[in-house]
Amino acid sequence: MSGSSATPGYQLPWVEKYRPRYLRDMVGNAATVERLKAIEENGNCPHLLVSGLPGIGKTTSVHCLAHALLGDAYKEAVLELNASDDRGIDVVRNKIKVFAQKKVSLPPGRHKIIILDEADSMTPGAQQALRRTMEIYASTTRFCFACNQSNKIIEPIQSRCAILRFGRITDEELLRRLVQICEAEKVQYSDEGLAAIVFTAEGDMRQAINNLQSTWTGMGYVSPDNVFKVCDQPHPLIIQEILTRCHTGDVDGALDKLDDVWSLGYSSLDIVTTLFRVVKTMDTLPEPVKLDFIREIGWTHMRTLEGVGTLLQLSGLVARLAKLSMPPSAFAW
């Protein structure tokens, strides 16, 4: 699209623009990626079951492997079905079987690849129907399952696959990748702003890159305040102040701060989740106190997930946290 610099053309989302094309470009999970590189060099791909949290490179790594193994035949020899597709028994009987039977010219020793993304959302009936299909067409077709929870895949399929587990990407690896993107896109940022993005992402590379692009596009500068505005999360410094006041026994001050956060419109789940993430990183709290705080926050998190997400519930949590920090003599009658 032509035009002046004031009217920029269409921009590809950075999460797609900087998606790795080769296994060597993958970030994090070095041991698991090395196993995939060994498969790439060997050329004989087994059925794969790749599990792990969202946004850490499961599907991308499978696509990188498929590109490396199949080369120019990738388009014809790869079938990808996502959770958005209907994947009941009919799809297994029709789409998957038809593709497995299809004849494709491939390099010697290579196989067609069927990628089933979000495989843990497949119905048990559809998974049962896959068992025999995997065995019948094993000479020509390989299956790659990507899922968040491998325990939702039935045992017979698990036993037919090589299982690869992806862990969350470390903060250092996330930060290194974000700095590379900032330099490539000429993004103006502060170190604290990138640290805020890493904090909000929790090891999710996709979310980190999306948050970076949203902050830069919307605010023009990546600073902590801008990041938390765009991501719409309670500011960790305010949450840290609540926890500090609880630790010193200042219940009234902690409740006042909680009211301030609640009045900004955050949900109780947002507040509880941020409390949990902040308390883990607070060096000022002694280890036993930190563990007690995490236990109490965990119980409140469970109640909030069950639907009891009121200000009264959060106020009770603050009171219990303050009580944990007070000496027993403070409650003597």
Side-chain angles (χ1 to χ4, degrees), residues 103-139:
K103 296 206 176 294
V104 179
S105 298
L106 295 175
R110 299 294 190 260
H111 305 84
K112 289 175 291 182
I113 295 176
I114 298 177
I115 302 172
L116 294 170
D117 203 0
E118 310 298 342
D120 45 1
S121 64
M122 288 183 77
T123 62
Q127 292 187 42
Q128 295 286 357
L130 271 178
R131 295 165 58 176
R132 190 72 184 134
T133 308
M134 291 173 70
E135 290 183 349
I136 293 173
Y137 301 104
S139 59

Side-chain angles (χ1 to χ4, degrees), residues 11-287:
Q11 271 197 335
L12 193 68
W14 291 353
V15 74
E16 293 298 330
K17 187 175 180 181
Y18 295 100
R19 186 184 293 276
R21 298 289 184 266
Y22 306 98
L23 286 172
R24 63 173 178 269
D25 298 328
M26 292 291 298
V27 176
N29 293 286
T32 310
V33 173
E34 283 301 320
R35 288 182 66 187
L36 290 172
K37 285 180 182 175
I39 292 172
E40 176 189 334
E41 291 170 9
N42 189 24
N44 185 18
C45 179
H47 298 306
L48 292 175
L49 174 56
V50 185
S51 70
L53 298 169
I56 55 176
K58 302 185 300 296
T59 310
T60 299
S61 62
V62 172
H63 279 289
C64 289
L65 178 64
H67 274 291
L69 290 174
L70 300 172
D72 295 335
Y74 173 86
K75 284 188 178 179
E76 287 185 7
V78 174
L79 170 68
E80 182 182 9
L81 294 175
N82 203 293
S84 56
D85 303 300
D86 178 22
R87 291 187 305 190
I89 295 177
D90 291 340
V91 172
V92 175
R93 287 175 179 158
N94 300 326
K95 260 191 183 179
I96 293 177
K97 275 194 177 179
V98 167
F99 179 81
Q101 291 167 348
K102 186 173 79 169
K103 296 206 176 294
V104 179
S105 298
L106 295 175
R110 299 294 190 260
H111 305 84
K112 289 175 291 182
I113 295 176
I114 298 177
I115 302 172
L116 294 170
D117 203 0
E118 310 298 342
D120 45 1
S121 64
M122 288 183 77
T123 62
Q127 292 187 42
Q128 295 286 357
L130 271 178
R131 295 165 58 176
R132 190 72 184 134
T133 308
M134 291 173 70
E135 290 183 349
I136 293 173
Y137 301 104
S139 59
T140 60
T141 308
R142 294 289 187 263
F143 285 78
C144 294
F145 300 88
C147 63
N148 298 139
Q149 296 172 291
S150 60
N151 61 342
K152 290 190 177 179
I153 306 296
I154 60 173
E155 290 287 344
I157 286 182
Q158 290 191 43
S159 68
R160 288 170 169 81
C161 297
I163 299 178
L164 302 175
R165 303 196 189 278
F166 279 67
R168 69 187 289 276
I169 300 172
T170 64
D171 292 349
E172 292 78 14
E173 289 165 337
L174 273 177
L175 188 59
R176 198 157 51 240
R177 187 65 172 151
L178 291 176
V179 169
Q180 290 173 357
I181 293 172
C182 287
E183 290 173 353
E185 295 291 335
K186 297 181 171 54
V187 173
Q188 296 178 7
Y189 65 91
S190 67
D191 292 341
E192 294 79 9
L194 290 187
I197 288 178
V198 170
F199 177 85
T200 58
E202 286 192 282
D204 185 334
M205 179 65 79
R206 181 167 52 218
Q207 187 177 352
I209 295 174
N210 281 333
N211 290 350
L212 176 66
Q213 185 173 15
S214 301
T215 306
W216 170 239
T217 306
M219 299 291 188
Y221 183 70
V222 181
S223 67
D225 289 340
N226 290 345
V227 168
F228 291 114
K229 275 182 195 171
V230 168
C231 299
D232 200 23
Q233 290 187 9
H235 202 296
L237 290 179
I238 301 176
I239 298 298
Q240 186 172 353
E241 190 170 347
I242 293 174
L243 291 164
T244 303
R245 294 193 177 195
C246 287
H247 182 48
T248 57
D250 182 8
V251 184
D252 293 333
L255 288 173
D256 288 341
K257 283 292 176 184
L258 177 64
D259 285 335
D260 292 343
V261 176
W262 183 264
S263 64
L264 294 173
Y266 294 112
S267 73
S268 52
L269 193 58
D270 286 337
I271 296 171
V272 171
T273 306
T274 310
L275 276 167
F276 177 71
R277 285 156 60 184
V278 169
V279 78
K280 287 193 300 183
T281 60
M282 281 183 68
D283 298 328
T284 53
L285 292 179
E287 199 69 22

